[in-house]
Amino acid sequence: MVIEVIERQTRKWQMVVDVDKCTGCQACVIACQVENNVALNSDEIFRQRRATEWIRIERYWEGEFPNVKARFLPVLCQQCGNAPCEPVCPVFATYHNDQGLNVQVYNRCVGTRYCQNNCPYHVRFFNFWEPVWPESLRNHLNPDVTVRSRGVMEKCTFCVQRIRRGELDADREGRQLKDGDIQPACAQACPTDALVFGDISDSNSRVSGFAENKRKFHLREELGTDTNVIYLAKVDAEAKDRSHA
Amino acid sequence: MRKVNPIILIAISVVGFGGLLIAGVAVFFLFNAWFGLPVGAQAPDQPIDFPHTVHSGSIENGGLGLDCTFCHRNVAEGAAATVPSVQQCMFCHKQITGTSDKAKIEISKLTELSEAGQPVNWKRVHRLPDHVEFVHDAHIRYFSEMNGISASEVCSTCHGDVASMVKVKQVRALKMGDCVDCHRKYSAPTDCTICHR
């Protein structure tokens, strides 16, 4: 039998978050929750600071009344190129794959939570309980995504199930993957197009267009985590803190 | 030498042999679980005795010689191979009501379900753990393109010769070692996110 080596094109997935466009509507949060079988959070869970939100909108107030301005910052797993969560995992449940994704392998995870402690963005979540959904939502679970059980860390995957599906669909139709074929749930749901997802190694993709943008910044750049989520600063002459305004 | 009470000797030997026996049984179960088929992978009784031999068995052997994809329509298009709906069975079985007594009984079960608008509660034969996402279409496509064979001829790589099975049973362990061995053999990607996501 002939053994063929399948040529896999190397891709590097990145996301651009235009803070100027974000209205803080939380559509991405809900879309992510639905797409990725993220367990429902209650008030009590929020009070305990154990809420699971793979993408969250951080809200900042700026200025004194009556000139108060609300600032929004969507925060998701930054898919760091130099990820602090990876070297601390004792069982290699989190590792870096060839497409620049920071992968969490649920069935390897033993729940030490070292990665959560080492994450500077607070985007890793621990399943303190077995996730439960109301009976009416049982059939709404996404079959392409594992339901994480108790004692397992989870985090944003850049909707890796959609990436794989997109690759396979392109392969079946015998064409190259083109920009915009793959969209994570958050980017798809964003009404103002503030979240843009794409392949940075493709020079014609939309994310590549933002690579040289003057408003570009990374979260906690000083840590040298080499993140794959690029933020575009808000356009506002009155803004005090340029980093998130 | 001090004389030992024979009852104590017998007791020690019984405990010793008993311990060995228990350890042996434990080792057997461990080996069985590691190398054997998963628990519950044996051919279960189905609500309707569906003979694959009649439907997909070759014409020389008295079958119809249907392609697998004739009923499992999604197999080359998506992750799930899909079990046909009752409606799809009735597409043929509205006319074909069976020749033998056995077939007449089984097909009448199907007709009843169809009239009641109920699905057939097939027992699942091949089950993977929840954290594994197997994608049928990619495997079918790769093997059929590589060997120049039709989609239906690829199925037996993992599922065995279903066409000659009266009752479908699992033939391959379909555990992670099984998957990874094959992926390495054909230089398929072995990134964790290919299956676990």
Side-chain angles (χ1 to χ4, degrees):
Chain A
M1 205 175 278
V2 189
I3 296 171
E4 285 175 47
V5 178
I6 305 172
E7 289 284 335
R8 286 183 80 211
Q9 200 183 332
T10 46
R11 298 176 196 284
K12 193 161 161 51
W13 302 108
Q14 285 204 341
M15 188 183 272
V16 174
V17 181
D18 193 340
V19 182
D20 195 43
K21 283 183 182 167
C22 178
T23 60
C25 72
Q26 310 263 353
C28 51
V29 179
I30 300 300
C32 176
Q33 204 105 8
V34 173
E35 169 75 16
N36 290 302
N37 302 339
V38 177
L40 302 179
N41 299 312
S42 65
D43 291 2
E44 182 58 29
I45 294 173
F46 268 106
R47 245 174 260 128
Q48 293 173 347
R49 307 208 162 212
R50 288 173 176 181
T52 313
E53 285 179 309
W54 287 11
I55 181 169
R56 66 175 184 273
I57 307 285
E58 291 189 351
R59 187 204 58 202
Y60 300 94
W61 295 116
E62 226 178 52
E64 294 290 318
F65 182 81
N67 296 319
V68 187
K69 279 179 178 168
R71 303 287 190 222
F72 299 108
L73 186 72
V75 180
L76 66 160
C77 175
Q78 307 289 307
Q79 310 284 348
C80 308
N82 187 12
C85 54
E86 286 168 9
V88 292
C89 182
V91 291
F92 304 102
T94 178
Y95 76 100
H96 224 71
N97 83 351
D98 55 352
Q99 299 190 326
L101 295 181
N102 181 267
V103 180
Q104 176 73 21
V105 187
Y106 305 120
N107 41 322
R108 265 189 198 166
C109 181
V110 293
T112 60
R113 296 194 272 144
Y114 293 165
C115 52
Q116 190 182 29
N117 276 333
N118 225 25
C119 177
Y121 305 101
H122 197 289
V123 288
R124 290 182 150 268
F125 305 95
F126 186 67
N127 281 287
F128 281 94
W129 306 276
E130 201 66 51
V132 263
W133 281 271
E135 198 52 47
S136 57
L137 290 181
R138 292 304 287 269
N139 288 341
H140 289 226
L141 293 177
N142 186 351
D144 297 335
V145 180
T146 313
V147 174
R148 285 80 53 185
S149 58
R150 186 175 145 236
V152 170
M153 292 298 306
E154 61 182 59
K155 66 163 199 77
C156 163
T157 59
F158 263 0
C159 283
V160 71
Q161 71 281 3
R162 290 187 175 209
I163 297 177
R164 294 284 169 257
R165 192 69 254 169
E167 284 173 347
L168 288 174
D169 283 348
D171 190 27
R172 187 179 69 232
E173 289 156 24
R175 59 177 168 84
Q176 287 292 315
L177 208 57
K178 58 179 190 292
D179 192 38
D181 271 358
I182 295 169
Q183 265 195 321
C186 54
Q188 191 180 18
C190 185
T192 59
D193 213 12
L195 305 167
V196 178
F197 182 81
D199 178 11
I200 196 79
S201 60
D202 170 12
S203 55
N204 297 320
S205 67
R206 277 181 76 198
V207 282
S208 300
F210 291 112
E212 297 302 321
N213 200 299
K214 277 181 194 152
R215 297 190 285 135
K216 176 183 167 183
F217 72 99
H218 293 269
L219 285 192
R220 303 233 169 136
E221 213 164 346
E222 71 278 9
L223 295 174
T225 42
D226 185 19
T227 59
N228 278 324
V229 179
I230 298 164
Y231 286 83
L232 300 179
K234 198 162 179 76
V235 184
D236 186 350
E238 294 165 35
K240 283 172 195 157
D241 185 355
R242 300 294 296 172
S243 67
H244 31 68
Chain B
M1 209 178 114
R2 201 165 64 93
K3 199 153 187 238
V4 185
N5 191 343
I7 295 168
I8 293 174
L9 276 180
I10 291 165
I12 288 172
S13 60
V14 165
V15 169
F17 278 114
L20 266 182
L21 198 72
I22 290 167
V25 169
V27 166
F28 170 77
F29 275 108
L30 271 178
F31 265 80
N32 200 33
W34 194 262
F35 295 108
L37 291 176
V39 179
Q42 287 71 32
D45 282 327
Q46 300 289 0
I48 296 174
D49 273 343
F50 177 87
H52 271 91
T53 42
V54 174
H55 293 83
S56 54
S58 62
I59 296 165
E60 299 89 71
N61 296 336
L64 275 168
L66 294 177
D67 273 355
C68 304
T69 49
F70 187 81
C71 297
H72 302 286
R73 289 189 176 175
N74 201 44
V75 74
E77 263 115 65
T82 64
V83 172
S85 63
V86 174
Q87 211 179 3
Q88 204 178 320
C89 304
M90 291 307 288
F91 182 71
C92 297
H93 281 291
K94 262 205 174 115
Q95 268 77 40
I96 304 165
T97 48
T99 41
S100 68
D101 284 349
K102 171 76 178 157
K104 277 192 178 114
I105 293 166
E106 297 303 324
I107 292 166
S108 71
K109 284 185 199 167
L110 182 75
T111 340
E112 274 165 33
L113 283 169
S114 167
E115 278 159 11
Q118 295 290 319
V120 189
N121 287 321
W122 299 109
K123 295 262 172 19
R124 192 160 184 162
V125 182
H126 301 85
R127 182 181 283 282
L128 295 178
D130 269 358
H131 54 262
V132 185
E133 312 287 336
F134 180 81
V135 179
H136 272 99
D137 61 341
H139 293 87
I140 299 280
R141 196 163 56 243
Y142 177 69
F143 276 108
S144 58
E145 275 172 20
M146 184 179 68
N147 300 332
I149 52 178
S150 74
S152 297
E153 290 167 283
V154 180
C155 307
S156 58
T157 316
C158 296
H159 291 292
D161 190 10
V162 176
S164 67
M165 288 181 199
V166 181
K167 236 191 219 182
V168 180
K169 65 173 189 291
Q170 188 170 334
V171 292
R172 260 178 96 156
L174 303 181
K175 289 173 181 173
M176 192 171 144
D178 211 5
C179 300
V180 173
D181 277 353
C182 204
H183 269 234
R184 289 211 177 115
K185 190 174 158 198
Y186 296 108
S187 309
T190 47
D191 189 68
C192 304
T193 57
I194 295 293
C195 307
H196 303 297
R197 46 209 176 197

